[in-house]
Amino acid sequence: MIFETHGHYDDEQFDTDREQLLEEFQRQDIRYVMNIGANIATSKASVELAHQYDFIYAAIGTHPDDAPELSDAAIEMYRQMAVDEKVKAIGEIGLDYFHEDVPKEAQIHWFRKQLELAEELKLPVVIHSRDAAKDTMDIMKEMQGRLCGGVIHCFSYSTEIAREYIKMGYYIGVGGVVTFNNGRKLKEVVEAIPLTSIVLETDSPYLSPVPFRGKRNSALNIPYVAKEIAALKGVTEEEVYDVTFKNSLKLYRMEENMQAEA
């Protein structure tokens, strides 16, 4: 069984065949999908999609690139949205210093505000961090003991940083990058950390694994990621699926689903 922990299936790239694709997921034993919001509009779309399909759940939050859309009123709107039983996390939220389009101060301010919302609501967090290793870690350490876990999505930092997050109770999100020829750093992380700290993700429609790099991604490509992880860890693909599935249910506090699957 597969748990796709991070996809954006509300994206316009899926508008022409979304229904057919999601039906195919269920035929391919993709048991659960977490559809991730990246701003107010896509968070609303994620919740709507989750209500259309029993196996889809939603995360709500604003990506650092869209931090300027946030306000106290927007945070209150997220608070009200989170009452929905299909909402399982706050995310994706975090820091992204790659493009430098949004001032760091604004990113940090709204990152903290959304973390505080997650603390209040007792929801896990989905963290986006790009070229912002120190600031992200510093803020997450400030919040240590106040949050109920989460995942460092599309992990791109060192093994040492991964181990630090794992000590803090976070999972490491691994997707298509682990199959790239230039993905050596992530391969080293996967080799070094326990399988019990890894969850499978796609970031669909982005970051397709080899041999589909550059094309639209979806959870149908997760087997290529699982195969690479299995090779790096020296375990079977079945073990990768089994362990990461259980990890994902724990991450999103969906253990009751684990009992249903037993």
Side-chain angles (χ1 to χ4, degrees):
M1 293 181 290
I2 295 173
F3 194 135
E4 149 74 296
T5 64
H6 192 118
H8 302 278
Y9 295 100
D10 59 290
D11 190 277
E12 61 184 10
Q13 291 191 46
F14 297 108
D15 284 353
T16 59
D17 63 346
R18 183 177 293 107
E19 183 176 353
Q20 299 95 313
L21 180 68
L22 295 177
E23 288 176 355
E24 182 64 18
F25 283 6
Q26 295 184 286
R27 288 192 289 269
Q28 297 300 323
D29 211 14
I30 298 163
R31 196 59 57 93
Y32 299 115
V33 171
M34 190 62 61
N35 204 77
I36 308 291
N39 52 42
I40 292 170
T42 59
S43 292
K44 290 179 178 178
S46 290
V47 176
E48 290 174 4
L49 191 64
H51 278 282
Q52 293 172 28
Y53 296 89
D54 289 343
F55 72 102
I56 297 180
Y57 293 85
I60 58 173
T62 293
H63 184 288
D65 285 351
D66 286 325
E69 77 170 6
L70 288 172
S71 63
D72 289 341
I75 296 296
E76 177 59 30
M77 184 200 64
Y78 280 145
R79 181 179 287 109
Q80 297 302 319
M81 288 174 65
V83 173
D84 194 300
E85 63 181 4
K86 295 300 291 280
V87 173
K88 295 296 184 181
I90 299 298
E92 63 186 284
I93 62 175
L95 302 174
D96 192 321
Y97 296 166
F98 181 74
H99 294 296
E100 300 183 347
D101 292 334
V102 180
K104 292 180 181 179
E105 295 76 11
Q107 291 190 40
I108 289 170
H109 174 78
W110 292 112
F111 181 30
R112 284 200 171 105
K113 287 289 187 181
Q114 292 182 96
L115 288 172
E116 289 167 1
L117 180 63
E119 175 189 11
E120 174 192 336
L121 299 174
K122 295 181 172 58
L123 288 174
V125 290
V126 179
I127 303 298
H128 171 104
S129 182
R130 188 180 188 191
D131 290 354
K134 184 181 185 304
D135 284 356
T136 307
M137 178 63 78
D138 287 348
I139 292 169
M140 296 305 288
K141 284 186 173 180
E142 288 174 16
M143 297 296 294
Q144 182 63 2
R146 296 166 56 185
L147 299 171
C148 60
V151 56
I152 313 303
H153 150 66
C154 196
F155 190 83
S156 61
Y157 299 133
S158 68
T159 297
E160 291 72 24
I161 291 175
R163 285 176 171 151
E164 190 68 22
Y165 277 119
I166 290 167
K167 287 179 186 176
M168 295 165 66
Y170 294 93
Y171 290 93
I172 302 300
V174 179
V177 174
V178 77
T179 70
F180 295 178
N181 289 332
N182 63 350
R184 187 65 235 169
K185 185 189 293 186
L186 181 57
K187 293 177 192 288
E188 291 172 354
V189 169
V190 169
E191 288 175 336
I193 66 175
L195 187 57
T196 50
S197 295
I198 294 173
V199 294
L200 302 176
E201 63 175 31
T202 63
D203 204 19
S204 295
Y206 312 107
L207 296 177
S208 289
V210 174
F212 303 110
R213 191 172 181 181
K215 298 180 181 179
R216 188 187 76 173
N217 199 10
S218 86
L220 297 178
N221 293 332
I222 283 179
Y224 294 92
V225 176
K227 182 178 181 180
E228 182 67 21
I229 293 173
L232 290 167
K233 301 298 293 177
V235 301
T236 65
E237 291 171 49
E238 188 58 40
E239 184 174 352
V240 171
Y241 289 130
D242 181 56
V243 175
T244 58
F245 186 82
K246 291 175 182 175
N247 295 345
S248 303
L249 292 175
K250 292 175 183 175
L251 158 63
Y252 288 122
R253 307 181 78 182
M254 293 167 57
E255 287 91 345
E256 70 276 7
N257 297 66
M258 188 183 298
Q259 296 173 1
E261 297 290 348

